[in-house]
Amino acid sequence: MALKNTVPSNEKKYAGFVFQKINYILFLTSILIVALGFLLMMGTEDIYSFTKITLAPLVVIIGFAIGFVAILYKPKNKDI
């Protein structure tokens, strides 16, 4: 006797994207912030300037943190 793979009636299947629009906006924002950080590191000043050794790495880390939040953020949907 073969067992049927059934979904309980109280569970609904949702087709669509894994992420919402806000997730994509946050992710694109994080990419832009990381790119800005690398541009700051590339500046024309001397190698030991505040911008290159302090500000730019902090901007890159903040960009990666926003990317991490963009992946984990789950918006609350009232219609689901």
Side-chain angles (χ1 to χ4, degrees):
M1 189 189 310
L3 296 175
K4 290 183 0 181
N5 188 8
T6 59
V7 176
S9 62
N10 60 353
E11 292 183 22
K12 295 180 182 178
K13 285 190 174 182
Y14 293 103
F17 293 109
V18 176
F19 297 122
Q20 301 293 321
K21 183 179 178 182
I22 187 70
N23 296 96
Y24 291 111
I25 291 171
L26 286 171
F27 191 66
L28 288 174
T29 304
S30 74
I31 290 172
L32 292 175
I33 291 173
V34 169
L36 175 68
F38 280 112
L39 286 173
L40 288 172
M41 276 189 228
M42 194 177 70
T44 59
E45 299 175 18
D46 63 335
I47 194 166
Y48 297 112
S49 68
F50 169 78
T51 303
K52 285 187 176 184
I53 64 170
T54 305
L55 183 63
L58 285 175
V59 170
V60 171
I61 290 171
I62 289 169
F64 282 130
I66 293 173
F68 184 72
V69 169
I71 292 171
L72 293 180
Y73 181 70
K74 185 175 180 182
K76 296 177 182 174
N77 291 335
K78 294 180 181 179
D79 59 319
I80 293 179

